[in-house]
Amino acid sequence: MSEFATWGVGGLAGSSALEVRELTNTAEIIDALEPQRIYAAPLYPLLEERFRALTRWVTAESTSGRGLAVESRGPAGVALYLAGEPSAVEAILERFRPARHSYLTYEDRHTGVVPRYFALRGRQTLVRMRVDAATFRPVDSRGQQLLPQHLRMANDLYSSDSGAWLSRRHLTEEVYYGIWDNERVVSIAGTQSVSTTFGIAMVANVLTHPRYRDLGYATECVSGLTAALLERGRDVVLNVDPKNAAAIRVYERLGFQQESRLEEAWGMWRGRTWYERLLAALYGLLSR
């Protein structure tokens, strides 16, 4: 279990009198998220009451800026999201004890900080893109929203060329659009997170069956999905591999604009004892 408290920290480069503390007040959390609204898009649903007991929000503040660490627990394990001023993020990592293993998301400006506290594997760089009603350029779409009765067809498609797997909850609580060929879903686009309360959603799990690629199906699915999401909120975001020029062109055609770069990786906390550091070192070596 993670440990959080209130700490006073001084002497870090680029900061003065850094205070690290846990956030429990929703208004304070929103105040910390809004300056980085697009980067923080996946965090807004965690403010729902049913998730609050599974999350911890920690901030560090100084005259040079604010940092934020959000740890959440779910069926897939522990996720740790880092945002904000690098020196403030480092102050948090100096004082807070995270889970031994986490799936990390952090800004590209944190790449000099995070490896000092975590041994990393599966590290990947992503581009965060955003669209709103003013920039959205929809295309004609044959996409239709998937319902729970379409679950098997959706998972059949994902099993053809993806590690994704959906439960009935995904098609009940989130939004997925698909294109059919007869009784078969051949292209799909869904959401990683949707927050109607805060008007922001994140597109994910975009896939077209290999036999149906280069026909514009993915563009149509994302367009139909984005239109539906913009009816519920003001911002839609997604991640894309910066090396995937074809996907970036698809999203730019629809009006998505590049906002920032981030990294994701599996991480093992380096800890504070020689034994923990040894385990992390071995983890890093075995991950190469």
Side-chain angles (χ1 to χ4, degrees):
M1 179 67 88
S2 297
E3 298 172 0
F4 296 84
T6 300
W7 302 280
V9 182
L12 290 177
S15 63
S16 61
L18 273 172
E19 179 191 20
V20 180
R21 63 190 177 92
E22 182 178 358
L23 295 176
T24 57
N25 180 278
T26 300
E28 277 193 305
I29 294 173
I30 294 170
D31 185 57
L33 292 180
E34 280 298 304
Q36 299 189 96
R37 175 178 169 83
I38 304 306
Y39 171 71
L43 301 179
Y44 284 91
L46 298 179
L47 291 170
E48 294 180 22
E49 189 60 34
R50 59 179 171 155
F51 295 126
R52 290 300 293 274
L54 301 174
T55 60
R56 293 294 182 96
W57 307 73
V58 182
T59 190
E61 300 176 68
S62 74
T63 55
S64 60
R66 168 185 268 170
L68 182 68
V70 183
E71 187 181 74
S72 62
R73 296 174 181 270
V78 178
L80 181 60
Y81 213 91
L82 303 173
E85 167 62 35
S87 63
V89 169
E90 180 152 24
I92 295 170
L93 295 177
E94 282 277 359
R95 297 292 182 249
F96 123 82
R97 183 184 181 91
R100 178 65 58 84
H101 293 92
S102 304
Y103 191 71
L104 296 161
T105 300
Y106 50 95
E107 300 174 69
D108 60 352
R109 58 178 169 163
H110 302 147
T111 55
V113 174
V114 172
R116 292 203 288 271
Y117 297 88
F118 293 90
L120 302 174
R121 72 175 186 184
R123 195 168 172 175
Q124 62 175 335
T125 300
L126 298 167
V127 173
R128 176 65 53 82
M129 301 184 76
R130 167 188 176 267
V131 72
D132 59 22
T135 61
F136 182 43
R137 297 191 296 272
V139 300
D140 291 337
S141 176
R142 288 160 286 182
Q144 299 178 38
Q145 185 168 350
L146 274 67
L147 302 175
Q149 57 263 37
H150 302 131
L151 179 62
R152 182 185 59 79
M153 289 186 285
N155 281 328
D156 283 347
L157 173 58
Y158 283 130
S159 67
S160 71
D161 193 25
S162 169
W165 182 86
L166 305 184
S167 67
R168 290 183 66 85
R169 181 190 64 79
H170 289 94
L171 300 185
T172 301
E173 300 179 7
E174 299 182 11
V175 187
Y176 278 74
Y177 265 62
I179 291 177
W180 277 257
D181 181 16
N182 295 318
E183 297 299 315
R184 181 184 189 185
V185 175
V186 297
S187 188
I188 193 170
T191 49
Q192 175 180 327
S193 61
V194 180
S195 176
T196 303
T197 302
F198 297 99
I200 193 162
M202 189 163 186
V203 173
N205 295 330
V206 179
L207 179 68
T208 299
H209 191 282
R211 295 180 186 174
Y212 294 83
R213 290 176 184 169
D214 300 319
L215 299 174
Y217 285 5
T219 305
E220 292 183 32
C221 281
V222 174
S223 181
L225 174 64
T226 301
L229 294 173
L230 286 174
E231 291 178 0
R232 307 180 183 200
R234 70 177 191 266
D235 295 303
V236 176
V237 306
L238 55 80
N239 290 335
V240 62
D241 185 335
K243 298 177 183 177
N244 192 342
I248 291 174
R249 284 195 298 271
V250 165
Y251 300 138
E252 288 180 338
R253 178 185 175 191
L254 295 172
F256 282 85
Q257 300 173 350
Q258 297 187 33
E259 288 278 331
S260 61
R261 291 200 174 205
L262 56 98
E263 287 196 1
E264 293 183 342
W266 290 101
M268 184 173 185
W269 185 52
R270 294 191 184 278
R272 310 205 191 285
T273 68
W274 69 266
Y275 178 70
E276 290 172 324
R277 294 189 182 100
L278 176 61
L279 287 179
L282 292 173
Y283 176 90
L285 289 172
L286 294 173
S287 301
R288 290 181 180 176

